[in-house]
Amino acid sequence: MNLQAKRTVISILAMGALTSLVAGCGTTTGTSNNASSNGSSNASSSNSTASTANNASASTTSASSNQTLVLYSAQGYDQAMADAFTKATGIKVKLDDSSTGPIVAKIEGEKSNPHWDVAWFDGDSTMQALDNQGLLLQNWSPSDFGNYNSLGQSLVPSDKAYFPGGVTAAAAIGVNTKLVSPSQYPKDWSDLLSPQWKGQVAMNDPAVSGPTFPFVAGMMQLKGTQGGEQFFTQLKGNGLKIFRTNGVTLKALLNGQVKAIMIQDSALTSAKAKGDPIQIIYPSSGVFTLPDVVAIDKNAPDMAAAKKFVEFVLSHQGQKVMLDPKQGGGDSYFNPVITGETPDPQRQQSGIKWITVSPTKAAQDQSQIQSWFHNNIVQ
Amino acid sequence: MFNNHALRKIREWLGAAPSLLIFLILILYPVLALLVQTFLPHMFDVHMSLKPSLAPIREVFANPLNFIAVLNSLELGLAAAVVATVFGTICAFGSVRAGRLWRIIIDTGVWIVFFAPSYVIAQGWLGLMQDGGIAAELFHLPNGWSAWFFTKYGLAVTMGLRYIPFVYFAMTQAIVNIGTEFEQAGRLLGASRRLLFRRITLPLMTPALLAGASLAFAEGFGDFGFAAAITPSTHIPMITYQIYALLDQAPVDYPGAAGLSLLMIIVMGAAFWLQMSWVKRRSYSTVSSHSRVKVTHEPHRFSPAVLGALVILVVALVLPLGSTVLDSLLKSSATGVGPGNWTLHHYHQVMNLGNSGVGSLRRTFVYAVITGLLTMVFGLYLAFQMMFKKTVAIRIINTIMIATIAIPGIVLAAGFIFAYNAVWLIPVHLVIYGTPLCLGMAYLAGTLPFSIRLQLGAMNQMSPNLTTAAASLGAKQGTILRRVVLPLVRGTAVSTFFMALTGTMFELPASSLLYPAGYPPFPEVIQQKFNAFEYARGSALTILGMAIVFAMYAIGRLLEWRLSKGSTTSKGETAPEPVMQSRTESVTVG
């Protein structure tokens, strides 16, 4: 019995060792600090505009700040933005850089006890779905809200639960100029249904690729649910190929597997800017807006830092970081929604008919559209 | 009398308490947190509701995609098990019949296949076979040349190649254990080789064969790596990927994932149960306790089996890993494999990536070493408890603990989110979700059941006479553990350390679902690189990680060899030997 008791004690000690050992390995990271920063937050938020505007003085204040922003983001420029934000405000950023799907999953998994302050990804319908669950901070206006141009303002929901940082087209048509002569270029989506394009068109899987769902939902909005379903069914009948995401689909276009693809226009612009043989066509019936959207957690552990970050995204200083392809890669080829900002010269501006996709409707129909597409088009 | 009995019962349960606690914290609570949503889908909502509903279960069968995914996984698991059984058996015969050098080569090859994470292998296949991939560039193949590969058949064969080790380990041991007396007796009586094989060798091997096959099936059915890498390009939905999709894509469906997880645990549990029962049957049908286990017949120099084993290993290992190496070394995948197109540039890049490159590697290495050590220690402790203390409490925990092997990593990781971020933990300051501790615990939960099982296997093979003899000579439990058991299972213990180490270095589900914000672990970073089509960087990171793991493994083997050289004088065996058989030979010889 004595022996038994001793062994029990030893094994309990071992359990203790487990916790301390594993905890010890990551003491530098720690947990996200909740309450501690809330007290100081009010004071710092009031002078946030000053600190973001004044670049030079910002670095001197950085040492004194003990705020930490937890940013869940799927943007190419998020690391650069996090660095610039820390430099400007002194607020440390813990960046969780992932794809949109995993981010949304994580937010939903944490919904009763959130650990994030700001979420940022492409697709307002996905963000709207989070808003519908009451997870986002509503009715707060960033101090630089007035910076928005009219397109920008039109993309802000009435409850101000999220804010667009820029806009791309959920899809445009890209053709391989080595394989298709200018006279054969399609002019509208429906041109791709002709026998000329049989087996030569590809797009992404909306269940995997972030920007593809808004494209599919937009088509349903443009042509009506029945018309939209008919369009994709006909495309499939004409040999439509489905790949996983922009990268694979682009590769298929460039190595001649297909002659035309329908993907996010910033990815096409980025490839074209690199010198790939691509012509971008904005179909005459219109392309669908795909804003990147940034939102604050309703129960953000560090609300003040979160608000500052959103203001930083809408500021000229922040936009400059986002618009630099050296910092943001393909994601930097977006259309600004802030007055006075100019897009990268590689982006076509004229002759684009924008169709604003209703995020509310798309969010509402999301699971129905997704499963229809998967069961009827992908399979 | 009654009092005594009750007291003993209490003592038994108290003795089992540490095991129970470990099991509760690491596995039971997280898994229940996920599975309970199958019946109480709103338990973890912002406004918690305990209203029961069977909708998630209904959805598993009503949603056609879910249903197809389940069917596909069953089919692919079975097909892969058949492929693995055939190839694994050939490799086993090749190894046993080969000369020393070839045996070392085959054995090492199989071990590398065993240790190589399945999504690394799967990514390798993808890089090799896809349009414009490595093979297309090497041989100037047109687009569409590999359409046959991206089908169920291609997937089944590549998965089968991945699971060779499970059959191989079971089979080599069985072949060695059969010994030669029965065959020699048969031969003396004038039986032909074919008759000998059919009537003697095969029946004796059947339990091992079935055990290996059911393990391969369970691996195939529960494999997330292949599903994550290849399923999206083949559009063949599989259950693991479907669970991941329900958890990781918008819109998220936790109850649906819970329903599928439950189904998955049931199927995998059945497979493991079959495997265990076949293993048990073998223990009395073979003749290991009395036969001479050392292979006495002269090894053939280079039999067809050896050649077959080598060819299989080239396909299983050199092709996928070779393509990953090429991917990491080629300047641009679009410019061909010509001279002057080789570069270490990608390695330089990932070394300079800071947080998302070498920083994550360093971080994960620390996780991996700690997980390895804890897995080894806890595994030994728990296995010892289960082996030598046959109380009811221990036996119950034993059964459940072993059964948790059937819980896929993705299910366990998802469970951790709910379990350790639950609202009821807030007042007691135990919300550890989002901290390194939580991730570390998830790693440990994933490796511990395997460790216990391996160590139990090793301890099971020890003759009970040894401990009985020691006990009757007056040795206390502690002494027996230290002087008799530990030296004999040392090899297995070291092996479980490396199994946990590699497992953690390349563990994907928990790494991607549970890492602390801002500090992504190595597997997550690799996955991000591949997702962003930075194949070269992703491959470079993979190769770096593999190099570290193999270096660690080599050091471990050296250590083990040194240790065994110090303690046993007779054998001096230096060839890599499978854990499952590791110390049995010296036991029976000694």
Side-chain angles (χ1 to χ4, degrees), chain B residues 511-522:
Chain B
S511 300
S512 64
L513 285 179
L514 295 172
Y515 72 90
Y519 299 91
F522 181 62

Side-chain angles (χ1 to χ4, degrees), chain B residues 213-225:
Chain B
S214 48
L215 207 55
F217 165 76
E219 283 294 320
F221 184 76
D223 197 331
F224 178 61

Side-chain angles (χ1 to χ4, degrees), chain B residues 14 16 31 47 80 113 121 165 171 183 195 253 257 289 295 363 375 417 426 433 445 458 464 479 509 533 544 574:
Chain B
L14 269 181
V31 169
H47 303 288
V113 175
I121 292 201
M171 288 301 291
E183 277 188 43
L195 191 70
D253 181 2
S289 55
V295 186
R363 195 174 302 132
T375 300
I417 298 184
I426 300 173
Y433 164 81
T479 319
F533 309 101
L544 278 180
T574 53

Side-chain angles (χ1 to χ4, degrees), chain A residues 94-362:
Chain A
K94 282 187 185 172
L95 171 65
D96 190 344
D97 183 6
S98 195
S99 310
T100 307
I103 288 176
V104 174
K106 224 167 156 172
I107 289 173
E108 294 204 4
E110 294 175 13
K111 63 186 164 193
S112 51
N113 185 24
H115 293 245
W116 58 283
D117 296 300
V118 170
W120 197 8
F121 48 75
D122 280 354
D124 45 358
S125 59
T126 312
M127 198 61 101
Q128 182 64 48
L130 294 179
D131 188 29
N132 291 349
Q133 297 179 54
L135 300 175
L136 308 182
L137 178 74
Q138 297 171 339
N139 301 316
W140 167 78
S141 279
S143 61
D144 41 13
F145 190 79
N147 289 358
Y148 273 130
N149 61 23
S150 55
L151 176 63
Q153 276 169 14
S154 74
L155 293 167
V156 179
S158 56
D159 63 1
K160 292 193 176 147
Y162 49 86
F163 302 94
V167 172
T168 54
I173 300 174
V175 291
N176 186 328
T177 53
K178 280 191 180 160
L179 305 173
V180 186
S181 64
S183 60
Q184 294 172 312
Y185 288 170
K187 291 185 176 56
D188 198 11
W189 302 110
S190 52
D191 292 348
L192 297 175
L193 298 174
S194 73
Q196 180 204 339
W197 297 100
K198 190 161 181 62
Q200 298 300 333
V201 182
M203 66 179 282
N204 303 341
D205 183 346
V208 184
S209 151
T212 308
F213 171 70
F215 166 48
V216 176
M219 210 48 109
M220 306 277 180
Q221 180 179 310
L222 177 69
K223 295 175 184 281
T225 305
Q226 219 175 6
E229 289 184 354
Q230 194 189 356
F231 172 70
F232 286 111
T233 311
Q234 284 173 336
L235 266 179
K236 186 181 171 147
N238 207 23
L240 174 73
K241 295 194 166 99
I242 307 270
F243 296 106
R244 203 170 165 214
T245 42
N246 288 342
V248 193
T249 311
L250 254 176
K251 204 168 176 186
L253 177 74
L254 294 176
N255 60 27
Q257 209 170 338
V258 291
K259 290 178 181 163
I261 57 176
M262 303 177 286
I263 63 168
Q264 190 177 12
D265 69 343
S266 55
L268 291 169
T269 312
S270 165
K272 194 180 168 188
K274 270 189 239 155
D276 287 329
I278 290 177
Q279 173 68 32
I280 305 169
I281 292 142
Y282 288 91
S284 55
S285 59
V287 292
F288 311 106
T289 50
L290 177 70
D292 70 81
V293 280
V294 57
I296 298 174
D297 175 5
K298 188 170 85 180
N299 299 311
D302 201 336
M303 185 64 84
K307 287 176 175 172
K308 272 193 209 171
F309 186 80
V310 172
E311 287 172 337
F312 188 71
V313 170
L314 306 187
S315 73
H316 294 289
Q317 194 189 349
Q319 289 281 314
K320 197 164 282 167
V321 178
M322 289 162 64
L323 279 162
D324 180 0
K326 279 195 210 91
Q327 311 240 43
D331 279 356
S332 289
Y333 295 102
F334 64 88
N335 249 20
V337 290
I338 302 295
T339 37
E341 293 298 332
T342 45
D344 191 280
Q346 297 279 355
R347 259 196 87 87
Q348 179 184 336
Q349 286 301 315
S350 59
I352 303 176
K353 184 179 169 194
W354 291 98
I355 298 172
T356 310
V357 184
S358 158
T360 335
K361 178 91 170 73

Side-chain angles (χ1 to χ4, degrees), chain B residues 256-273:
Chain B
L260 274 184
S261 301
L262 188 65
L263 187 73
M264 200 169 168
I265 291 173
I266 292 170
V267 172
M268 283 184 66
F272 280 115
W273 178 78

Side-chain angles (χ1 to χ4, degrees), chain B residues 38-53:
Chain B
T38 314
F39 309 100
L40 304 171
H42 304 293
M43 176 131 179
F44 288 88
D45 280 6
V46 179
H47 303 288
M48 189 208 281
S49 148
L50 292 179
K51 200 174 139 208
S53 160

